[in-house]
């Protein structure tokens, strides 16, 4: 059956549209992944370019060639662009059709260093340090793609703190952003960082607690917990890590140091032969942080059973256990008050993962609640790291 389509313009305009699509492909982008960004007003317009319904402006086409194409191919593509633009313009003029779409006057973008003057859990207001008249609001959606979304923005950005970014003025007013024009990398990272794959990484920061933050080979950051640190690691140290899981909605890339394995639990003398260490391959490791879903609150026994994101099927259909001793005070009170419901979401850290000595084929996974975890919400563009005390993302 033939699909009915809208009018797509002269063949020369369709050739220009296909050329635009080829340039976008060079950067691994599609109209859906670009969405509304500095490169255009929305994905529907991108499809209009590709279908020849509208012509892209020369300025915008030159911009995407510069941003997406390999440097060695840019000159050749710019020459091809001139040819396609000229042919499309001539074809439209011959048919009495409108000329190329012009970019709107907005947005107006000003790079600046801003000072936080007021804050709340949902947003902070900042003022340009070079122009006190220029102010704007910074929302969670304006944080960089590789930055966690904290539960309280005013804690991340206290009054008096300074932030480098851009004031963006459009028809809706002025806001401040740290990621204007940045495209979400998560759709690419999901393809690159497959579970079990090994990649190079560079140490970017070491905290007083011993946490090691790293920059991954193809972009993104993560954390190595102190228990996996052997020897002295300083900023700039090169090492290899293995991907444990990647959670785009939480902007989280969990890794473990290559060549490191969790110490096996000391077996009891009477049951040592029943310990099946192979079960650990399907379990999270100590120190991993992730979102979990309540499957069975047990107030009478003061614990909660959880299903872990990234590990939907633990060996033997086991579930993670959160005991009252590892809960925050508000969660304890909610559990005792029978206010914890199936489907509630909690952010947790793995404390223990080992084969169950009493039940063959099952595992024991114990976790603790982290009440200051990131917001459990999808990112703009359907993309979605976990929060420690650092601005970096992707903690393990």
């Amino acid at each position: 059956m033939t699909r009915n389509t809208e009018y797509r313009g002269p063949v020369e305009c369709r050739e220009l549209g296909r050329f635009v699509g080829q340039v976008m492909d060079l950067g691994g982008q599609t109209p859906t992944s670009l969405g509304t960004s500095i490169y255009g007003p929305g994905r529907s317009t991108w499809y209009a370019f590709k279908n020849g319904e509208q012509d892209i402006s020369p300025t915008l086409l030159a911009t995407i060639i510069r941003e997406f194409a390999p440097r060695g191919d840019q000159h050749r593509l710019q020459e091809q662009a001139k040819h396609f633009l000229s042919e499309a313009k001539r074809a439209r003029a011959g048919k009495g059709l409108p000329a190329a779409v012009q970019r709107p006057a907005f947005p107006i973008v000003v790079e600046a260093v801003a000072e936080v003057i007021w804050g709340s859990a949902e947003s902070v207001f900042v003022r340009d340090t070079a122009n006190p008249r220029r102010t704007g609001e910074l929302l969670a959606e304006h944080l960089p793609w590789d930055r966690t979304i904290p539960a309280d923005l005013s804690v991340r950005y206290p009054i008096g703190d300074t932030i480098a970014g851009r004031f963006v003025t459009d028809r809706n007013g002025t806001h401040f952003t740290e990621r204007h024009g940045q495209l979400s990398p998560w759709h690419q990272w999901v393809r690159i960082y497959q579970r079990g794959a090994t990649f190079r990484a560079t140490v970017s920061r070491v905290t007083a607690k011993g946490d090691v933050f790293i920059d991954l080979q193809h972009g993104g950051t993560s954390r190595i917990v102190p228990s996996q640190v052997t020897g002295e690691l300083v900023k700039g140290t090169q090492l290899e890590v293995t991907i444990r899981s990647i959670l785009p909605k939480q902007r989280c890339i969990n890794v473990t140091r290559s060549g490191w394995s969790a110490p096996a639990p000391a077996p009891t003398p009477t049951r040592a032969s029943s310990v099946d260490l192979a079960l650990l391959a399907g379990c999270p490791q100590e120190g991993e942080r992730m979102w979990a879903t309540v499957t069975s609150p047990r107030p009478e026994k003061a614990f909660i059973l959880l299903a872990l994101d990234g590990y939907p099927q633990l060996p033997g259909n086991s579930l993670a256990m959160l005991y009252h001793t590892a809960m925050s005070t508000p969660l304890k009170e909610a559990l005792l008050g029978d206010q914890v419901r199936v489907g509630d979401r909690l952010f947790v850290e793995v404390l223990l993962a080992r084969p169950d000595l009493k039940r063959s084929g099952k595992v024991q996974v114990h976790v603790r609640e982290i009440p200051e975890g990131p917001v459990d919400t999808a990112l703009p563009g359907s993309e979605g790291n976990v929060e420690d005390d650092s601005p970096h993302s992707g903690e393990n």
Side-chain angles (χ1 to χ4, degrees):
M1 182 174 65
T2 303
R3 180 182 176 182
N4 294 325
T5 59
E6 297 289 338
Y7 171 74
R8 294 175 180 269
V11 63
E12 293 85 355
C13 298
R14 281 176 275 168
E15 291 293 335
L16 173 61
R18 279 193 284 270
F19 177 72
V20 174
Q22 291 170 4
V23 176
M24 292 167 64
D25 289 341
L26 291 174
Q29 305 296 336
T30 65
T32 299
S33 64
L34 278 174
T36 302
S37 70
I38 188 176
Y39 302 104
R43 61 184 179 184
S44 60
T45 300
W46 282 107
Y47 281 116
F49 291 157
K50 295 188 71 173
N51 294 337
E53 297 172 34
Q54 296 180 14
D55 292 345
I56 191 170
S57 69
T59 301
L60 181 53
L61 182 52
T63 299
I64 68 169
I65 291 175
R66 182 176 65 251
E67 294 289 339
F68 297 154
R71 187 174 298 274
D73 295 335
Q74 290 184 6
H75 178 73
R76 174 179 59 83
L77 292 172
Q78 291 287 9
E79 293 301 315
Q80 291 182 3
K82 293 178 183 178
H83 169 74
F84 285 119
L85 286 166
S86 176
E87 291 298 314
K89 182 178 180 180
R90 183 181 299 110
R92 284 199 179 276
K95 293 179 178 291
L97 298 173
V101 176
Q102 298 299 314
R103 300 188 72 183
F106 291 118
I108 300 172
V109 182
V110 178
E111 293 191 13
V113 175
E115 178 184 7
V116 178
I117 56 177
W118 181 83
S120 68
E122 293 79 20
S123 65
V124 296
F125 285 86
V126 299
R127 177 173 52 210
D128 190 345
T129 56
N131 182 2
R133 288 187 171 184
R134 183 180 292 120
T135 60
E137 185 180 22
L138 172 67
L139 300 171
E141 65 190 64
H142 300 142
L143 300 183
W145 288 113
D146 61 349
R147 197 75 66 83
T148 60
I149 300 177
D152 190 335
L153 274 175
S154 64
V155 174
R156 169 75 65 79
Y157 300 104
I159 295 176
D161 197 12
T162 56
I163 316 168
R166 297 175 179 180
F167 285 94
V168 180
T169 302
D170 54 26
R171 292 182 176 85
N172 297 318
T174 300
H175 65 269
F176 187 78
T177 174
E178 292 188 87
R179 77 173 194 207
H180 180 68
Q182 295 180 8
L183 303 176
S184 173
W186 283 97
H187 67 285
Q188 295 180 343
W189 289 347
V190 167
R191 294 197 300 266
I192 295 172
Y193 296 130
Q194 297 293 318
R195 184 173 181 176
T198 300
F199 295 93
R200 292 194 307 274
T202 304
V203 175
S204 58
R205 190 169 74 90
V206 180
T207 69
K209 297 179 182 179
D211 290 324
V212 176
F213 291 90
I214 58 172
D215 293 334
L216 295 170
Q217 177 180 352
H218 298 287
T221 63
S222 190
R223 180 179 71 107
I224 298 177
V225 295
S227 61
Q228 298 180 21
V229 177
T230 55
E232 183 178 1
L233 292 178
V234 297
K235 184 176 181 179
T237 301
Q238 301 283 322
L239 66 160
E240 287 192 346
V241 296
T242 300
I243 305 298
R244 292 287 300 172
S245 62
I246 179 167
L247 308 174
K249 289 185 179 181
Q250 289 76 45
R251 304 185 191 178
C252 176
I253 305 175
N254 287 315
V255 304
T256 185
R257 194 169 182 183
S258 298
W260 181 90
S261 58
T268 58
T270 57
R271 301 299 301 273
S273 59
S274 67
V275 177
D276 184 6
L277 297 181
L279 292 174
L280 289 176
C283 295
Q285 293 191 0
E286 176 186 342
E288 279 196 57
R289 296 181 176 185
M290 64 199 74
W291 282 99
T293 303
V294 174
T295 60
S296 178
R298 304 285 180 87
E300 72 282 0
K301 296 184 178 181
F303 69 80
I304 300 172
L305 294 178
L306 301 166
L308 302 178
D309 285 11
Y311 299 90
Q313 192 73 28
L314 290 173
N317 294 321
S318 304
L319 295 169
M321 299 189 70
L322 173 61
Y323 288 97
H324 74 283
T325 54
M327 299 179 190
S328 64
T329 299
L331 182 59
K332 289 180 185 177
E333 294 174 352
L335 179 64
L336 294 176
D338 199 24
Q339 296 178 350
V340 178
R341 298 285 183 264
V342 174
D344 287 353
R345 301 281 285 167
L346 300 174
F347 195 68
V348 298
E349 179 177 10
V350 177
L351 299 177
L352 171 72
R354 68 183 182 187
D356 193 319
L357 301 181
K358 296 181 179 180
R359 299 177 298 171
S360 178
K362 293 183 175 292
V363 295
Q364 290 180 321
V365 179
H366 296 175
V367 299
R368 73 177 180 93
E369 182 199 8
I370 305 178
E372 68 275 15
V375 176
D376 183 23
T377 181
L379 296 175
S382 300
E383 312 291 337
N385 238 312
V386 294
E387 178 75 13
D388 189 42
D389 58 354
S390 164
H392 292 271
S393 67
E395 300 177 20
N396 187 31

